[in-house]
Amino acid sequence: MQLKHKIVALGVLPLLLAAAVICALVIVQNQRLGEQQVQLIEHAILSSKRAELKNYVAMAMSVIAPLHAGGRGDAQAQQQALAALAKISFGEDGYFFVYDAHGRNLMHPRQAELVGRDLWNMTDAHGLPAVQALLASASAGDGFQRYAWRKPSSGQETDKLAYVVMLEGWGWMLGTGLYLEDVEQATRQVRQEVADGIHATMVAIASVALIAVLLVCAAGLTLSVREHRLADSKLQALNQRILNLQEEERSRVSRELHDGISQLLVSIKFQFELAAHQLAAGASGGLDSLHQATERLGSAIGEIRRISHDLRPSLLDTLGLPAAIGQLAAEFEQRCALRVRYANRLADDAQLPDATAVALFRIVQEALTNIERHARAGTVHIDLEADGHAVQLQVGDDGIGFNPRKIEQMPGGIGLRNIRERVEHLGGRFSLSSSSGHTGMCVVLPLPVV
């Protein structure tokens, strides 16, 4: 993934996850509150209907009370009571019904086909033996029973709440009921309102999330453009720095060739020409001039070897890193008149990758150059060791010290930056500490797993 895609993903994915969690919580909470509201509404309506049914039954009892309470238990009084109850109705589907203790229907004004039938084993749409349940409720004294029954006005089987009582002496069950379509309609309306509320909330959350995603994408795009520009500027600065380093290296080699080897070669040329004239003239100093020219030629060869060694030490290719650092330390000690303590703890058969060996050699070379120019030190120590996973290089001196932060931030101080960049390029660790009387540098580079 590109950087801008990672930035957008890191911004969008947590936002979408949070929106999804919020939506889930809203759905669960609204559904729970909706069910609580449904239960409250249903309980309130059923409570009202229970009171209404009790009033209806009390009214019916008052109508037949003279026949029932007067002690008349003959068939004529019972038939008069059934006739009186059949005439009482309320609303479109309000009526009374009467059953005996064995489940036989004695009176049903809206469903005459049921009169006289034994309905003890008849079940409703839910599998409930309705008449048995009604008789059980009446006998227990509760009186209320909910079941499904065919509604006369519509012909559809609908939930119904009935209230029944037992007529002592006659062995009758008298009752009436109210159909619960209004309860179902009210609960269905509440559930629909809850669903509409959830939908509206989801739309609002989705809109907010979409706006937030667009803002994140816009911010990510802006940041990506800014990072691209910053990266381009850094790349241009790095390219310019590489060019400057190349020019500085070319200038250094050019100066050394011009001021060193070129002057020696010109001097050797003059010395050979002088020897040739002296020998041609038979003078006595021709051989001496020839010997001096030969000695200067040896000096020129040594200078060429030194320049070649600075560019790429031959010992690094032939004998390895420890020998190359040893030679570098010896030349530094001889050139600067400083005491160098070099400790090589690498195993004799240790094989370092070429990039690691070159990097460590250049780091030592850069460190010694900085010590020579700035440290004013008397002793330098170099430690090289390795285990199975990494190679460690430590370079220290007893010089005047410096502030590492200020040095690395200085425009001209590229030595330490070069060391740090070499180490970071190879995936290693670089640490630097400095105070008056002690400066230490530690480099740890990983080794490939064999």
Side-chain angles (χ1 to χ4, degrees):
M1 294 179 65
Q2 298 180 1
L3 176 61
K4 59 182 180 181
H5 296 156
K6 292 181 180 179
I7 294 174
V8 172
L10 289 175
V12 170
L13 290 181
L15 178 62
L16 294 179
L17 179 60
V21 172
I22 292 173
C23 289
L25 293 176
V26 168
I27 291 174
V28 172
Q29 188 68 16
N30 282 356
Q31 288 179 344
R32 186 174 66 180
L33 293 176
E35 289 302 318
Q36 291 178 356
Q37 188 175 359
V38 165
Q39 293 176 4
L40 290 174
I41 292 175
E42 185 175 3
H43 178 73
I45 296 177
L46 291 178
S47 297
S48 174
K49 288 185 178 296
R50 287 189 179 96
E52 185 178 356
L53 289 173
K54 282 187 175 183
N55 292 331
Y56 288 147
V57 171
M59 179 187 67
M61 291 289 291
S62 66
V63 171
I64 65 173
L67 298 173
H68 180 259
R72 296 180 59 186
D74 55 3
Q76 183 180 2
Q78 293 178 354
Q79 289 299 323
Q80 290 177 358
L82 291 175
L85 291 173
K87 295 178 181 179
I88 302 174
S89 64
F90 50 92
E92 185 179 6
D93 294 296
Y95 57 88
F96 291 92
F97 53 83
V98 179
Y99 289 83
D100 64 13
H102 303 289
R104 186 170 64 90
N105 186 274
L106 300 179
M107 187 272 295
H108 200 297
R110 302 296 177 92
Q111 291 177 288
E113 70 275 7
L114 300 180
V115 177
R117 290 178 55 184
D118 183 2
L119 304 179
W120 179 263
N121 294 319
M122 187 183 69
T123 58
D124 66 359
H126 306 299
L128 176 71
V131 176
Q132 294 182 34
L134 289 170
L135 287 168
S137 296
S139 300
D142 176 59
F144 290 104
Q145 180 61 47
R146 187 168 179 172
Y147 60 100
W149 195 265
R150 184 166 61 88
K151 187 176 182 180
S153 61
S154 64
Q156 301 294 326
E157 193 162 314
T158 309
D159 281 351
K160 182 178 183 179
L161 179 64
Y163 180 67
V164 292
V165 295
M166 295 299 296
L167 295 178
E168 300 296 336
W170 288 1
W172 287 2
M173 178 185 69
L174 169 64
T176 187
L178 294 173
Y179 291 95
L180 302 179
E181 286 180 332
D182 54 345
V183 177
E184 296 176 356
Q185 182 179 1
T187 56
R188 189 164 50 248
Q189 182 179 358
V190 171
R191 289 191 174 95
Q192 184 62 40
E193 290 176 355
V194 170
D196 294 341
I198 292 175
H199 180 265
T201 304
M202 295 301 101
V203 171
I205 293 176
S207 302
V208 173
L210 179 60
I211 295 174
V213 168
L214 293 177
L215 291 176
V216 170
C217 292
L221 181 61
T222 303
L223 182 60
S224 177
V225 172
R226 179 177 175 275
E227 290 296 327
H228 274 299
R229 291 178 179 176
L230 183 60
D232 289 340
S233 63
K234 289 184 177 180
L235 184 60
Q236 292 177 359
L238 180 61
N239 291 333
Q240 186 62 41
R241 181 177 164 193
I242 292 174
L243 293 176
N244 293 337
L245 290 176
Q246 289 178 346
E247 291 300 324
E248 290 177 4
E249 186 66 16
R250 289 172 180 173
S251 299
R252 184 184 68 81
V253 175
S254 175
R255 285 195 303 270
E256 291 184 352
L257 291 176
H258 180 271
D259 298 339
I261 296 176
S262 178
Q263 299 298 328
L264 281 174
L265 291 178
V266 170
S267 174
I268 292 169
K269 176 178 178 294
F270 288 155
Q271 200 70 31
F272 276 123
E273 289 177 352
L274 176 60
H277 285 298
Q278 289 176 341
L279 291 175
S284 57
L287 290 176
D288 293 336
S289 298
L290 191 60
H291 286 306
Q292 292 178 5
T294 304
E295 291 177 356
R296 293 181 180 179
L297 183 60
S299 299
I301 294 173
E303 186 68 16
I304 292 174
R305 286 178 177 174
R306 185 187 65 80
I307 296 174
S308 174
H309 179 76
D310 289 342
L311 295 176
R312 174 74 181 191
S314 58
L315 286 178
L316 192 60
D317 297 323
T318 56
L319 298 181
L321 177 65
I325 292 180
Q327 181 182 2
L328 188 64
E331 292 176 355
F332 177 80
E333 186 175 31
Q334 183 179 5
R335 182 175 68 253
C336 300
L338 298 178
R339 183 170 56 181
V340 179
R341 295 177 179 176
Y342 173 48
N344 172 34
R345 299 184 181 88
L346 289 180
D348 295 336
D349 57 347
Q351 297 292 330
L352 299 180
D354 184 66
T356 302
V358 172
L360 291 174
F361 179 81
R362 293 305 183 191
I363 290 172
V364 174
Q365 196 175 38
E366 186 70 38
L368 293 179
T369 300
N370 290 336
I371 292 173
E372 180 181 0
R373 292 177 179 176
H374 312 292
R376 304 178 193 174
T379 303
V380 179
H381 64 84
I382 303 173
D383 294 328
L384 184 65
E385 59 182 335
D387 54 21
H389 304 286
V391 57
Q392 177 175 288
L393 170 68
Q394 294 185 7
V395 181
D397 65 77
D398 58 355
I400 60 175
F402 60 93
N403 188 333
R405 290 186 179 180
K406 291 184 178 180
I407 291 296
E408 290 194 66
Q409 293 174 357
M410 291 177 60
I414 61 174
L416 290 177
R417 288 205 302 270
N418 288 340
I419 294 175
R420 188 180 296 277
E421 289 173 0
R422 285 181 183 273
V423 174
E424 291 177 352
H425 176 71
L426 295 175
R429 300 191 307 272
F430 172 75
S431 60
L432 179 67
S433 61
S434 181
S435 61
S436 179
H438 174 74
T439 298
M441 178 185 69
C442 180
V443 173
V444 179
L445 297 180
L447 294 178
V449 179
V450 180

